[in-house]
Structure formats: structure tokens, C-alpha cells
Amino acid sequence: MILNDEHFMRLALAEAAKAYELGEVPIGAVLVENEGGTVVSAGHNLRELARDATAHAEIEAIRQANQKLGRWRLSGTTLYVTIEPCPMCAGAIVNSRIDRVVYGGADIKAGAVHSIFNVLTNQRLNHQVEVTAGVLEDECTELMKSFFRMRRKENKLKKNTK
């Protein structure tokens, strides 16, 4: 079976929407088995609610998959994430031996795939990850922009009511 990148990115966008509704930065991730296209796990940002700096969407999806599959090695899978992974998440992806990452929008301030660093395909590491960038990029980046517009508006209102 050939994985349908847009289909699975839409599932990741649904996870990102859950984060948005919780007041979290709207990033979502879905881990899929390459053979058969079964969704193994999904996650969205939970840093604020969990009070945990490591509760990123990718980490949540990886942890769920580790528990569900009973193993740390996630070879044979593809991770779909709405925004380019940060250095922490890129490191977790490499260490999990995920085969492929598909992401939507670039993260020019913290991206560790193409924007600032190039962790996933770095030949000096013991595992390299195939990368596809820009899948449903406009939708992924618009969700982020919308969230931060809302945040700025809320902050402005708070500032004006003091």
C-alpha cells in the first residue's frame, strides 16, 4: 500500500485542532505503519496542560506507539506532523528509528529538519530519516498563524484591562 500523505496529514491537522481548542500551540502528529497504512498513534501539544516541556505532539505520538507496540524501535513507520520538528523531537525521531517524516509547515525559529538544523538526514548520525516537506503546508501554517493572532489579541486585551 502506498501511504496517502494528504490523508494522514489531515489526521495530524485534526490533532493540531485539539491542541488549539485546549489553548496549546496547535501542532499535531500521527504515526502510521508503512505496511498497510494503519495509524499506530497520534498526539498533539500538551506542554501547558501537562506542565512538561517535552510534551510536544511528536513525543506524545512516539510515547503512545512505544506503549502500544511494546518496543522503542519504530522502524517501519512514518510520522506525519503539521509543523517541522524541533531539535528535541528530531532527536527522538532519529533515536526511535522512524523511517520517514512528512511535515506541513516550516518552523523558521526552531526547525531541526531544514530551517535551522538538519538532524534527520545528517550522515554523521547512526540513523537517517527520509523527509517529505510541505504537505498541506498552507493549512498547517494558517492554523499556527490563527492561533498566534488569537494569542496576541488576548494578550492585548489583558494589557488594556489592567
Side-chain angles (χ1 to χ4, degrees), residues 29-91:
V30 175
L31 188 75
V32 177
E33 289 180 335
N34 295 338
E35 193 73 30
T38 304
V39 173
V40 176
S41 62
H44 52 272
N45 274 359
L46 291 170
R47 286 190 318 176
E48 301 298 330
L49 288 172
R51 293 181 172 86
D52 179 355
T54 68
H56 288 202
E58 300 94 322
I59 302 296
E60 295 298 311
I62 289 168
R63 286 179 179 153
Q64 273 184 35
N66 294 152
Q67 293 301 306
K68 183 175 180 179
L69 300 174
R71 57 189 166 104
W72 64 268
R73 189 180 296 267
L74 299 175
S75 52
T77 64
T78 296
L79 182 67
Y80 292 85
V81 60
T82 56
I83 299 296
E84 179 182 5
C86 72
M88 174 185 69
C89 294

Side-chain angles (χ1 to χ4, degrees), residues 115-128:
S115 295
I116 298 175
F117 304 108
N118 190 345
V119 174
L120 298 186
T121 58
N122 189 315
Q123 295 296 312
R124 293 175 289 182
L125 296 174
N126 63 340
H127 177 71
Q128 290 77 46

Side-chain angles (χ1 to χ4, degrees), residues 78-79 81 85 93 98-103 120 129-133:
T78 296
L79 182 67
V81 60
I93 291 163
I98 291 169
D99 293 345
R100 181 172 175 242
V101 166
V102 177
Y103 72 86
L120 298 186
V129 180
E130 181 185 337
V131 176
T132 302

